[in-house]
Amino acid sequence: MFTSMFFYLFICLLLFGIGDVLGVATKAKVSAVFVSLMLFLVGFMTGVLPPDIIKLAGLTDIGKWSLIFVVFSMGTSLNIKQLIAEWRTVAVAVLSMIVLIAGSVVLIPVIGYQETIVSIL
């Protein structure tokens, strides 16, 4: 009965929507992403959601871009004044990324590309 891609897409969007509504209602004290992922986890664990719902909803290609969407969403919620006030945190984050890139450049010839990517994740 419920074999349509649009039905599974609706279910996925509904779970993300519930997370977003709770995130806005709590003024981000409870993360929208956390709520959405917990709803998916509970759905998978109870068997209510099929384990391949993302594939059934046709979202596998978009899933590759999800990290970019999450980072962009978090970036748009930042206040520039707070970011300037927390310059030390920003400096440490940038320095950490530089060290990670330098370490990856050194490790790729030693242990290989695939192993280096796995080790930094």
Side-chain angles (χ1 to χ4, degrees):
M1 179 177 165
F2 298 115
T3 59
S4 170
M5 178 185 86
F6 295 112
F7 173 73
Y8 293 114
L9 180 61
F10 172 76
I11 296 299
C12 289
L13 293 177
L14 178 69
L15 294 178
F16 285 123
I18 291 170
D20 199 39
V21 167
L22 288 175
V24 169
T26 61
K27 297 182 181 171
K29 288 186 174 87
V30 176
S31 170
V33 175
F34 176 75
V35 171
S36 300
L37 293 178
M38 288 307 294
L39 289 173
F40 274 106
L41 180 64
V42 169
F44 293 143
M45 297 296 285
T46 60
V48 174
L49 297 177
D52 59 344
I53 190 168
I54 301 299
K55 181 180 177 186
L56 293 172
L59 297 174
T60 51
D61 290 332
I62 286 183
K64 297 173 184 173
W65 291 86
S66 62
L67 179 63
I68 295 169
F69 291 144
V70 169
V71 170
F72 181 78
S73 172
M74 290 171 57
T76 57
S77 66
L78 289 176
N79 184 349
I80 297 298
K81 290 179 183 178
Q82 287 177 335
L83 191 62
I84 292 170
E86 295 292 332
W87 68 269
R88 289 181 187 100
T89 305
V90 174
V92 167
V94 170
L95 183 63
S96 299
M97 287 186 271
I98 291 170
V99 168
L100 180 71
I101 291 168
S104 298
V105 168
V106 169
L107 283 177
I108 287 174
V110 176
I111 64 173
Y113 178 78
Q114 301 255 344
E115 289 79 6
T116 301
I117 296 300
V118 168
S119 69
I120 64 173
L121 295 177

